[in-house]
Amino acid sequence: MGHPAAVWDTRAAIAVSKDWNGIDQVMLRNPQGASAKVSLHGGQVTSWRNDRGEELLFTSSKAIFKPPKAMRGGIPICFPQFGNCGSLEQHGFARNKLWTIDEDPPPLHSNDSHGKSFIDLLLKPSEEDLKCWPHSFEFRLRVSLAADGNLTMISRIRNINGKPFSFSFAYHTYLSVSDISEVRIEGLETLDFLDNLGQRERFTEQGDAITFESEVDRVYLGTPNCIAVLDHERKRTYVIRKDGLPDVVVWNPWEKKSKSMVDLGDEEYKQMLCVDGAAIEKPIALKPGEEWTGRVQLAVVPSSFCSEDLDPQ
Ligand code: BG6
């Protein structure tokens, strides 16, 4: 695509190259040919492909690949807030900032490194960030691709402030689906949710699995650590495992809202579904020196997979 030649680290199957804006992006590959791409703009995963080269994340054909805004698709990170309140920008500033490669991250469990291609990124607040959110933090993000093609994101947020602070968080995950009408989510049945289409009123999910026939913008509360998104037409199921993230955002803008968004095609809502591991209802509170970890693992399995296979809570 006209980018300068990537510099490959053959031992770890990592390559760093520049994107159109001259911003570093990191390509991870596994020996089977699966790949993931992470931009230092926002620490955003912009691509995740299986070993057949099929893209598993949605990116809008109208996405704007130009800072300072996050592009529409992939996995932008919402921090230090999800949503739009107070003086902070919608979904916080982390997705709009330039991250750095963390050369010397504090160690993670060996399971988080062994047999994986991974990259560690770091975000620290700028002077400008501190003006609208006056809390010093270190945000370490590991993105890893396993031998089986699973994609894992581990966020570690440390309070290096003299005072406590709290935040909300989401991995705003744009899954690529064949047709939204053919998709259902299992694992959220009977749970309470906050409806962002109204005044965040609380409702209880009634039906069986969740299906889609109009705009949906909800925060499901107290969710199990494993949920599944089944795409009948593609005979593909996304399995989302998470830890430290009690809530799940489900978002599809449907027709009317899509038409009002400059960076989303009018019909593209049919090919996307956001299902985010998140911590929203009860903000995460950190005392000085404390650290929080939130992780999500995305896997894709054939549709013969059934919901009984989901991990028990
Ligand atoms: C969702 C929110 O998660 O993100 C929606 O619940 C919002 O209300 C959507 O429209 C997209 O947000 P943004 O800022 O990326 O356009």
Side-chain angles (χ1 to χ4, degrees):
M1 297 238 296
H3 298 311
V7 182
W8 278 94
D9 175 338
T10 43
R11 186 175 44 87
I14 300 172
V16 181
S17 61
K18 300 272 182 205
D19 70 11
W20 298 109
N21 299 299
I23 295 173
D24 281 346
Q25 56 182 2
V26 182
M27 179 74 103
L28 307 174
R29 277 190 203 284
N30 78 1
Q32 287 68 37
S35 66
K37 206 192 286 175
V38 191
S39 172
L40 266 60
H41 182 243
Q44 182 170 359
V45 174
T46 55
S47 168
W48 172 40
R49 290 179 187 267
N50 63 15
D51 53 12
R52 289 191 297 281
E54 295 161 346
E55 181 58 62
L56 304 168
L57 298 175
F58 169 84
T59 293
S60 169
S61 63
K62 294 200 167 175
I64 301 165
F65 291 86
K66 201 168 168 27
K69 291 284 180 199
M71 71 91 182
R72 177 81 50 208
I75 313 181
I77 289 176
C78 305
F79 169 84
Q81 83 173 3
F82 177 85
N84 191 1
C85 59
S87 57
L88 276 173
E89 57 213 86
Q90 156 111 331
H91 294 338
F93 49 72
R95 64 178 177 163
N96 300 329
K97 296 294 167 183
L98 206 53
W99 295 52
T100 55
I101 293 180
D102 194 0
E103 303 290 355
D104 190 21
L108 276 157
H109 193 276
S110 63
N111 285 350
D112 292 315
S113 313
H114 192 67
K116 298 186 166 110
S117 307
F118 61 85
I119 186 73
D120 288 296
L121 301 184
L122 176 63
L123 180 70
K124 293 180 179 183
S126 63
E127 290 296 313
E128 186 196 336
D129 301 334
L130 289 168
K131 279 185 202 147
C132 55
W133 202 67
H135 308 294
S136 274
F137 64 86
E138 286 173 349
F139 185 153
R140 294 196 153 78
L141 171 68
R142 172 169 295 188
V143 180
S144 64
L145 184 70
D148 55 11
N150 291 355
L151 181 77
T152 301
M153 302 178 76
I154 304 172
S155 288
R156 293 181 286 172
I157 296 170
R158 176 174 290 277
N159 181 343
I160 57 166
N161 221 13
K163 292 182 183 156
F165 65 68
S166 57
F167 60 88
S168 53
F169 181 94
Y171 291 110
H172 201 359
T173 308
Y174 285 77
L175 300 175
S176 167
V177 298
S178 57
D179 177 350
I180 187 68
S181 314
E182 296 289 325
V183 172
R184 72 174 200 269
I185 304 181
E186 294 189 355
L188 303 177
E189 309 82 28
T190 73
L191 296 181
D192 282 4
F193 65 85
L194 306 177
D195 194 350
N196 281 333
L197 294 179
Q199 303 297 314
R200 285 210 169 178
E201 302 101 322
R202 193 175 179 121
F203 295 97
T204 302
E205 186 60 57
Q206 301 291 346
D208 298 332
I210 292 156
T211 53
F212 299 88
E213 49 193 28
S214 60
E215 184 180 358
V216 172
D217 190 350
R218 297 176 177 174
V219 182
Y220 285 87
L221 308 173
T223 60
N225 283 336
C226 184
I227 59 169
V229 180
L230 291 84
D231 184 336
H232 296 293
E233 204 170 299
R234 284 211 182 117
K235 301 186 175 22
R236 176 195 279 170
T237 297
Y238 292 94
V239 181
I240 302 173
R241 292 190 172 81
K242 57 189 180 56
D243 198 25
L245 299 162
D247 305 324
V248 167
V249 177
V250 178
W251 181 58
N252 184 288
W254 218 255
E255 199 173 353
K256 192 164 159 235
K257 184 151 191 198
S258 296
K259 287 187 173 154
S260 72
M261 296 167 72
V262 286
D263 58 350
L264 188 65
D266 292 358
E267 299 287 317
E268 282 187 321
Y269 71 92
K270 294 176 184 166
Q271 272 87 56
M272 59 150 280
L273 176 62
C274 283
V275 184
D276 317 352
I280 296 170
E281 189 201 20
K282 297 183 185 115
I284 307 292
L286 289 181
K287 295 192 188 111
E290 280 185 341
E291 184 174 272
W292 168 84
T293 302
R295 68 172 72 210
V296 76
Q297 184 204 65
L298 305 177
V300 170
V301 296
S303 58
S304 49
F305 173 96
C306 59
S307 52
E308 286 77 54
D309 297 336
L310 291 178
D311 290 345
Q313 259 198 67

PDB file of all heavy atoms in Angstrom, residues 72 82 90-91 95 172 174 196 217 249 251 257 261 276, ligand 1:
ATOM      1  N   ARG A  72     -13.051   5.122  12.271  1.00  0.00           N
ATOM      2  CA  ARG A  72     -14.273   4.355  12.544  1.00  0.00           C
ATOM      3  C   ARG A  72     -14.051   2.878  12.232  1.00  0.00           C
ATOM      4  O   ARG A  72     -14.096   2.455  11.075  1.00  0.00           O
ATOM      5  CB  ARG A  72     -15.415   4.924  11.680  1.00  0.00           C
ATOM      6  CG  ARG A  72     -16.717   4.202  11.781  1.00  0.00           C
ATOM      7  CD  ARG A  72     -17.554   4.556  12.966  1.00  0.00           C
ATOM      8  NE  ARG A  72     -17.738   5.983  13.142  1.00  0.00           N
ATOM      9  CZ  ARG A  72     -17.950   6.545  14.341  1.00  0.00           C
ATOM     10  NH1 ARG A  72     -18.035   5.797  15.427  1.00  0.00           N
ATOM     11  NH2 ARG A  72     -18.096   7.851  14.451  1.00  0.00           N
ATOM     12  N   PHE A  82     -16.216   6.444  29.283  1.00  0.00           N
ATOM     13  CA  PHE A  82     -17.031   5.940  28.192  1.00  0.00           C
ATOM     14  C   PHE A  82     -18.228   6.865  28.097  1.00  0.00           C
ATOM     15  O   PHE A  82     -18.867   7.150  29.103  1.00  0.00           O
ATOM     16  CB  PHE A  82     -17.497   4.504  28.473  1.00  0.00           C
ATOM     17  CG  PHE A  82     -18.401   4.009  27.391  1.00  0.00           C
ATOM     18  CD1 PHE A  82     -17.876   3.437  26.239  1.00  0.00           C
ATOM     19  CD2 PHE A  82     -19.770   4.155  27.499  1.00  0.00           C
ATOM     20  CE1 PHE A  82     -18.706   3.025  25.213  1.00  0.00           C
ATOM     21  CE2 PHE A  82     -20.612   3.742  26.475  1.00  0.00           C
ATOM     22  CZ  PHE A  82     -20.086   3.173  25.333  1.00  0.00           C
ATOM     23  N   GLN A  90     -15.970  12.910  24.052  1.00  0.00           N
ATOM     24  CA  GLN A  90     -16.708  11.648  23.968  1.00  0.00           C
ATOM     25  C   GLN A  90     -15.733  10.468  24.009  1.00  0.00           C
ATOM     26  O   GLN A  90     -14.769  10.415  23.256  1.00  0.00           O
ATOM     27  CB  GLN A  90     -17.526  11.659  22.669  1.00  0.00           C
ATOM     28  CG  GLN A  90     -17.897  10.311  22.121  1.00  0.00           C
ATOM     29  CD  GLN A  90     -19.387  10.015  22.227  1.00  0.00           C
ATOM     30  OE1 GLN A  90     -20.069  10.494  23.122  1.00  0.00           O
ATOM     31  NE2 GLN A  90     -19.879   9.223  21.305  1.00  0.00           N
ATOM     32  N   HIS A  91     -16.006   9.512  24.882  1.00  0.00           N
ATOM     33  CA  HIS A  91     -15.208   8.288  25.047  1.00  0.00           C
ATOM     34  C   HIS A  91     -13.756   8.553  25.487  1.00  0.00           C
ATOM     35  O   HIS A  91     -12.893   7.680  25.337  1.00  0.00           O
ATOM     36  CB  HIS A  91     -15.208   7.437  23.776  1.00  0.00           C
ATOM     37  CG  HIS A  91     -16.562   6.852  23.429  1.00  0.00           C
ATOM     38  ND1 HIS A  91     -17.569   6.677  24.342  1.00  0.00           N
ATOM     39  CD2 HIS A  91     -17.066   6.389  22.261  1.00  0.00           C
ATOM     40  CE1 HIS A  91     -18.623   6.139  23.754  1.00  0.00           C
ATOM     41  NE2 HIS A  91     -18.358   5.957  22.494  1.00  0.00           N
ATOM     42  N   ARG A  95      -8.053   7.321  22.857  1.00  0.00           N
ATOM     43  CA  ARG A  95      -8.134   6.837  21.468  1.00  0.00           C
ATOM     44  C   ARG A  95      -7.634   7.871  20.464  1.00  0.00           C
ATOM     45  O   ARG A  95      -7.470   7.540  19.284  1.00  0.00           O
ATOM     46  CB  ARG A  95      -9.562   6.420  21.125  1.00  0.00           C
ATOM     47  CG  ARG A  95     -10.577   7.553  21.160  1.00  0.00           C
ATOM     48  CD  ARG A  95     -11.967   7.069  20.761  1.00  0.00           C
ATOM     49  NE  ARG A  95     -12.960   8.134  20.849  1.00  0.00           N
ATOM     50  CZ  ARG A  95     -14.144   8.083  20.256  1.00  0.00           C
ATOM     51  NH1 ARG A  95     -14.493   7.020  19.558  1.00  0.00           N
ATOM     52  NH2 ARG A  95     -14.992   9.080  20.376  1.00  0.00           N
ATOM     53  N   HIS A 172     -13.735  -0.694  22.461  1.00  0.00           N
ATOM     54  CA  HIS A 172     -14.885  -0.450  21.578  1.00  0.00           C
ATOM     55  C   HIS A 172     -14.715  -1.298  20.302  1.00  0.00           C
ATOM     56  O   HIS A 172     -14.221  -0.817  19.280  1.00  0.00           O
ATOM     57  CB  HIS A 172     -14.917   1.044  21.248  1.00  0.00           C
ATOM     58  CG  HIS A 172     -16.234   1.548  20.805  1.00  0.00           C
ATOM     59  ND1 HIS A 172     -17.342   0.765  20.665  1.00  0.00           N
ATOM     60  CD2 HIS A 172     -16.626   2.803  20.461  1.00  0.00           C
ATOM     61  CE1 HIS A 172     -18.354   1.503  20.258  1.00  0.00           C
ATOM     62  NE2 HIS A 172     -17.942   2.753  20.128  1.00  0.00           N
ATOM     63  N   TYR A 174     -15.329  -3.235  17.043  1.00  0.00           N
ATOM     64  CA  TYR A 174     -16.189  -3.272  15.856  1.00  0.00           C
ATOM     65  C   TYR A 174     -16.011  -4.630  15.180  1.00  0.00           C
ATOM     66  O   TYR A 174     -15.043  -4.848  14.436  1.00  0.00           O
ATOM     67  CB  TYR A 174     -15.792  -2.181  14.860  1.00  0.00           C
ATOM     68  CG  TYR A 174     -16.195  -0.772  15.230  1.00  0.00           C
ATOM     69  CD1 TYR A 174     -15.496  -0.048  16.195  1.00  0.00           C
ATOM     70  CD2 TYR A 174     -17.267  -0.147  14.591  1.00  0.00           C
ATOM     71  CE1 TYR A 174     -15.856   1.251  16.517  1.00  0.00           C
ATOM     72  CE2 TYR A 174     -17.631   1.165  14.903  1.00  0.00           C
ATOM     73  CZ  TYR A 174     -16.923   1.851  15.870  1.00  0.00           C
ATOM     74  OH  TYR A 174     -17.265   3.141  16.183  1.00  0.00           O
ATOM     75  N   ASN A 196     -28.783   3.639  26.395  1.00  0.00           N
ATOM     76  CA  ASN A 196     -28.222   4.933  25.989  1.00  0.00           C
ATOM     77  C   ASN A 196     -29.113   5.671  24.999  1.00  0.00           C
ATOM     78  O   ASN A 196     -28.858   6.837  24.697  1.00  0.00           O
ATOM     79  CB  ASN A 196     -26.852   4.735  25.330  1.00  0.00           C
ATOM     80  CG  ASN A 196     -25.770   4.511  26.354  1.00  0.00           C
ATOM     81  OD1 ASN A 196     -25.873   4.971  27.492  1.00  0.00           O
ATOM     82  ND2 ASN A 196     -24.740   3.779  25.970  1.00  0.00           N
ATOM     83  N   ASP A 217     -28.186   0.665  21.565  1.00  0.00           N
ATOM     84  CA  ASP A 217     -27.071   1.348  22.224  1.00  0.00           C
ATOM     85  C   ASP A 217     -27.232   1.110  23.729  1.00  0.00           C
ATOM     86  O   ASP A 217     -27.912   1.865  24.417  1.00  0.00           O
ATOM     87  CB  ASP A 217     -27.120   2.844  21.869  1.00  0.00           C
ATOM     88  CG  ASP A 217     -25.871   3.589  22.320  1.00  0.00           C
ATOM     89  OD1 ASP A 217     -25.061   3.001  23.055  1.00  0.00           O
ATOM     90  OD2 ASP A 217     -25.722   4.764  21.946  1.00  0.00           O
ATOM     91  N   VAL A 249     -20.944  -3.325  26.309  1.00  0.00           N
ATOM     92  CA  VAL A 249     -21.684  -2.371  25.472  1.00  0.00           C
ATOM     93  C   VAL A 249     -22.070  -3.085  24.180  1.00  0.00           C
ATOM     94  O   VAL A 249     -21.246  -3.791  23.594  1.00  0.00           O
ATOM     95  CB  VAL A 249     -20.796  -1.151  25.113  1.00  0.00           C
ATOM     96  CG1 VAL A 249     -21.550  -0.189  24.189  1.00  0.00           C
ATOM     97  CG2 VAL A 249     -20.337  -0.443  26.374  1.00  0.00           C
ATOM     98  N   TRP A 251     -23.681  -1.984  20.529  1.00  0.00           N
ATOM     99  CA  TRP A 251     -24.041  -0.797  19.743  1.00  0.00           C
ATOM    100  C   TRP A 251     -24.154  -1.130  18.267  1.00  0.00           C
ATOM    101  O   TRP A 251     -23.237  -1.716  17.687  1.00  0.00           O
ATOM    102  CB  TRP A 251     -22.996   0.312  19.925  1.00  0.00           C
ATOM    103  CG  TRP A 251     -23.306   1.575  19.159  1.00  0.00           C
ATOM    104  CD1 TRP A 251     -24.425   2.339  19.275  1.00  0.00           C
ATOM    105  CD2 TRP A 251     -22.502   2.190  18.148  1.00  0.00           C
ATOM    106  NE1 TRP A 251     -24.361   3.411  18.403  1.00  0.00           N
ATOM    107  CE2 TRP A 251     -23.188   3.339  17.696  1.00  0.00           C
ATOM    108  CE3 TRP A 251     -21.262   1.896  17.586  1.00  0.00           C
ATOM    109  CZ2 TRP A 251     -22.682   4.197  16.719  1.00  0.00           C
ATOM    110  CZ3 TRP A 251     -20.751   2.747  16.604  1.00  0.00           C
ATOM    111  CH2 TRP A 251     -21.457   3.883  16.179  1.00  0.00           C
ATOM    112  N   LYS A 257     -29.134   6.762  12.089  1.00  0.00           N
ATOM    113  CA  LYS A 257     -27.921   7.319  12.691  1.00  0.00           C
ATOM    114  C   LYS A 257     -26.731   7.178  11.743  1.00  0.00           C
ATOM    115  O   LYS A 257     -25.886   8.075  11.655  1.00  0.00           O
ATOM    116  CB  LYS A 257     -27.634   6.650  14.029  1.00  0.00           C
ATOM    117  CG  LYS A 257     -26.443   7.252  14.725  1.00  0.00           C
ATOM    118  CD  LYS A 257     -26.490   7.178  16.208  1.00  0.00           C
ATOM    119  CE  LYS A 257     -25.388   8.059  16.774  1.00  0.00           C
ATOM    120  NZ  LYS A 257     -25.068   7.771  18.139  1.00  0.00           N
ATOM    121  N   MET A 261     -23.753  10.051  10.217  1.00  0.00           N
ATOM    122  CA  MET A 261     -22.330   9.962  10.577  1.00  0.00           C
ATOM    123  C   MET A 261     -21.481  10.072   9.313  1.00  0.00           C
ATOM    124  O   MET A 261     -21.621   9.258   8.402  1.00  0.00           O
ATOM    125  CB  MET A 261     -22.064   8.620  11.288  1.00  0.00           C
ATOM    126  CG  MET A 261     -22.810   8.520  12.616  1.00  0.00           C
ATOM    127  SD  MET A 261     -22.829   6.867  13.294  1.00  0.00           S
ATOM    128  CE  MET A 261     -21.150   6.722  13.812  1.00  0.00           C
ATOM    129  N   ASP A 276     -18.490  -4.509  23.288  1.00  0.00           N
ATOM    130  CA  ASP A 276     -17.302  -4.023  24.005  1.00  0.00           C
ATOM    131  C   ASP A 276     -17.236  -4.590  25.424  1.00  0.00           C
ATOM    132  O   ASP A 276     -18.184  -4.397  26.200  1.00  0.00           O
ATOM    133  CB  ASP A 276     -17.330  -2.497  24.192  1.00  0.00           C
ATOM    134  CG  ASP A 276     -17.771  -1.703  22.983  1.00  0.00           C
ATOM    135  OD1 ASP A 276     -17.928  -2.278  21.902  1.00  0.00           O
ATOM    136  OD2 ASP A 276     -17.959  -0.482  23.154  1.00  0.00           O
TER     137      ASP A 276
HETATM  138  C1  BG6 B   1     -21.191   3.766  21.349  1.00  0.00           C
HETATM  139  C2  BG6 B   1     -22.020   4.730  22.129  1.00  0.00           C
HETATM  140  O1  BG6 B   1     -20.562   2.852  22.134  1.00  0.00           O
HETATM  141  O2  BG6 B   1     -20.253   4.513  20.589  1.00  0.00           O
HETATM  142  C3  BG6 B   1     -22.787   5.510  21.105  1.00  0.00           C
HETATM  143  O3  BG6 B   1     -22.842   4.060  23.027  1.00  0.00           O
HETATM  144  C4  BG6 B   1     -21.843   6.231  20.180  1.00  0.00           C
HETATM  145  O4  BG6 B   1     -23.642   6.401  21.754  1.00  0.00           O
HETATM  146  C5  BG6 B   1     -20.891   5.222  19.583  1.00  0.00           C
HETATM  147  O5  BG6 B   1     -22.563   6.864  19.162  1.00  0.00           O
HETATM  148  C6  BG6 B   1     -19.837   5.811  18.658  1.00  0.00           C
HETATM  149  O6  BG6 B   1     -19.144   6.820  19.281  1.00  0.00           O
HETATM  150  P1  BG6 B   1     -18.084   7.666  18.496  1.00  0.00           P
HETATM  151  O7  BG6 B   1     -17.660   8.765  19.430  1.00  0.00           O
HETATM  152  O8  BG6 B   1     -16.961   6.759  18.149  1.00  0.00           O
HETATM  153  O9  BG6 B   1     -18.792   8.197  17.283  1.00  0.00           O
END
